[in-house]
Amino acid sequence: MDQQQARTWLATAVTEARAGLAEGGIPIGAALYGADGTLLGRGHNRRVQDGDPSLHAETAAFRAAGRQRSYRGTTMVTTLSPCWYCSGLVRQFGISRVVIGEAVTFHGGHDWLAEHGVEIVLLDDPECAALMRTFTTAHPALWNEDIGED
Amino acid sequence: MDQQQARTWLATAVTEARAGLAEGGIPIGAALYGADGTLLGRGHNRRVQDGDPSLHAETAAFRAAGRQRSYRGTTMVTTLSPCWYCSGLVRQFGISRVVIGEAVTFHGGHDWLAEHGVEIVLLDDPECAALMRTFTTAHPALWNEDIGED
C-alpha cells in the first residue's frame, strides 16, 4: 500500500494511544479501516481504565466496528506489533492487512500473519516506540500483565 | 488431567452454551478455572445478544475473570475447539490447559496450541456437537460471520 496512506491511518491509532495514556492506561491504539478506506472502528487498550484484560487496542477497535459480514480488504492499524491474541483475531476474521507503528519494543505475531497471506506494513514510527519505552519503563509490572508475562 | 474433572468443568461451559442458545445466540460456552480449581470466570458467545463480535465464549470467560497477574496453571474450558482468535488468547496469556467439548463441527487452533506446550484435553462430547450442528444448520450465515468466513 501507499506509505503516505499508511502514515495517515497510523495517526488515528496514535491519537488513540495518546488518549489511553492521558487516561492512565497503556498507550497502544488501533483503528480498523474498511476496504473503501472508511474508518470502521477505533480504540485503545482499556486494561487499566475498565479493568478489562480482553480489550487490547486491536480488539477494542474491532469491537467498536460492530458486526461485519466480511473483513475482506480491511486494514487493522495498530501502534504496536500485535500480540498472539490480536494476531489470532486478524487471522480468524480474514483481515487483509495490518499497518504497524513499531515492532522494536515488542515483537508479536506479525511474521506469522505474513506467512498466512496477511499484508504487513511496518512503519518504524519513533513516536509509537517512545510512548511504549516511556510507559513500560515506568510501569513494567502492568505491561507484563498485559502480555501475560509472569 | 483427570477425565472426570474435565467433564465436571465442561458442564459449566455447556450450561453457558445452553444459556446463549436460550437468548437466541450462538451456542458456545466457556469457563476459566484457576490453578487451584476455582472458577475465575464464565461466559458465552454474545455476537447476537450484544452485537459484539469480540465476545466469543472464551474471550467472554476471560473478560469475566477480570485482571489476573498470571494465568500459569489455569484451564480454559470451552464447548468447541477454539478459533485462531481464542487460541491466540490462550497462547499470549500463558493459559496452561484447554479442555474442549468437541472439535468435529469446527477445528480451530488447538493443534497449534499443543505444539506450543499447552495441554489439550479433547472430550468428544455429543451434546456439544449436537448444539452446534443444529444451530449452524439453521443459521449458516450467522455462523460464517462468527468465524470470518465470507
Side-chain angles (χ1 to χ4, degrees):
Chain A
M1 78 178 296
D2 178 65
Q3 290 278 313
Q4 188 52 51
Q5 177 69 90
R7 290 196 176 274
T8 300
W9 285 358
L10 181 64
T12 306
V14 172
T15 300
E16 286 291 330
R18 287 190 201 120
L21 183 67
E23 293 163 5
I26 300 170
I28 307 173
L32 183 66
Y33 281 92
D36 63 355
T38 306
L39 177 61
L40 300 175
R42 56 194 291 173
H44 51 266
N45 188 298
R46 304 198 63 82
R47 172 176 297 272
V48 173
Q49 298 92 318
D50 297 352
D52 185 346
S54 78
L55 288 177
H56 274 193
E58 297 90 332
T59 56
F62 178 82
R63 186 185 195 197
R67 288 174 59 178
Q68 303 282 334
R69 291 194 58 173
S70 172
Y71 292 89
R72 187 175 302 204
T74 61
T75 300
M76 179 66 80
V77 186
T78 173
T79 55
L80 181 66
S81 173
C83 78
W84 288 116
Y85 172 42
C86 298
S87 295
L89 176 88
V90 168
R91 180 168 175 190
Q92 186 62 47
F93 289 97
I95 292 169
S96 299
R97 186 195 283 142
V98 182
V99 172
I100 302 169
E102 61 101 357
V104 289
T105 70
F106 176 78
H107 193 111
H110 64 271
D111 298 324
W112 178 72
L113 289 175
E115 286 165 20
H116 288 92
V118 178
E119 179 186 350
I120 301 295
V121 181
L122 184 52
L123 291 175
D124 200 23
D125 182 79
E127 181 179 356
C128 292
L131 278 165
M132 283 303 289
R133 280 209 187 91
T134 303
F135 188 86
T136 60
T137 300
H139 307 284
L142 188 53
W143 174 233
N144 283 335
E145 181 188 312
D146 199 56
I147 52 171
E149 295 283 339
D150 283 343
Chain B
M1 76 179 295
D2 178 66
Q3 290 278 311
Q4 188 52 50
Q5 177 69 88
R7 290 195 176 276
T8 301
W9 286 357
L10 181 64
T12 305
V14 172
T15 301
E16 287 291 330
R18 287 191 201 120
L21 184 67
E23 293 163 4
I26 299 170
I28 308 173
L32 183 67
Y33 281 92
D36 63 354
T38 306
L39 177 60
L40 300 175
R42 55 194 292 173
H44 51 267
N45 188 298
R46 305 198 63 83
R47 174 175 296 272
V48 173
Q49 298 92 317
D50 297 352
D52 186 346
S54 77
L55 288 176
H56 274 194
E58 297 90 332
T59 56
F62 178 81
R63 186 185 195 197
R67 288 174 59 177
Q68 303 282 334
R69 289 193 61 170
S70 171
Y71 293 88
R72 187 175 301 206
T74 61
T75 301
M76 179 65 81
V77 186
T78 173
T79 56
L80 181 66
S81 172
C83 77
W84 287 117
Y85 171 42
C86 298
S87 295
L89 176 88
V90 168
R91 180 168 175 190
Q92 186 64 48
F93 289 97
I95 292 169
S96 299
R97 187 196 281 143
V98 181
V99 172
I100 302 169
E102 61 103 354
V104 288
T105 69
F106 175 79
H107 192 110
H110 64 271
D111 298 324
W112 178 70
L113 289 175
E115 286 165 19
H116 288 93
V118 178
E119 181 185 349
I120 302 295
V121 180
L122 183 53
L123 291 174
D124 201 22
D125 182 81
E127 182 180 355
C128 292
L131 279 166
M132 283 304 289
R133 279 208 186 90
T134 304
F135 188 86
T136 59
T137 301
H139 307 284
L142 188 52
W143 174 233
N144 283 335
E145 182 188 311
D146 199 55
I147 52 171
E149 295 282 338
D150 283 343

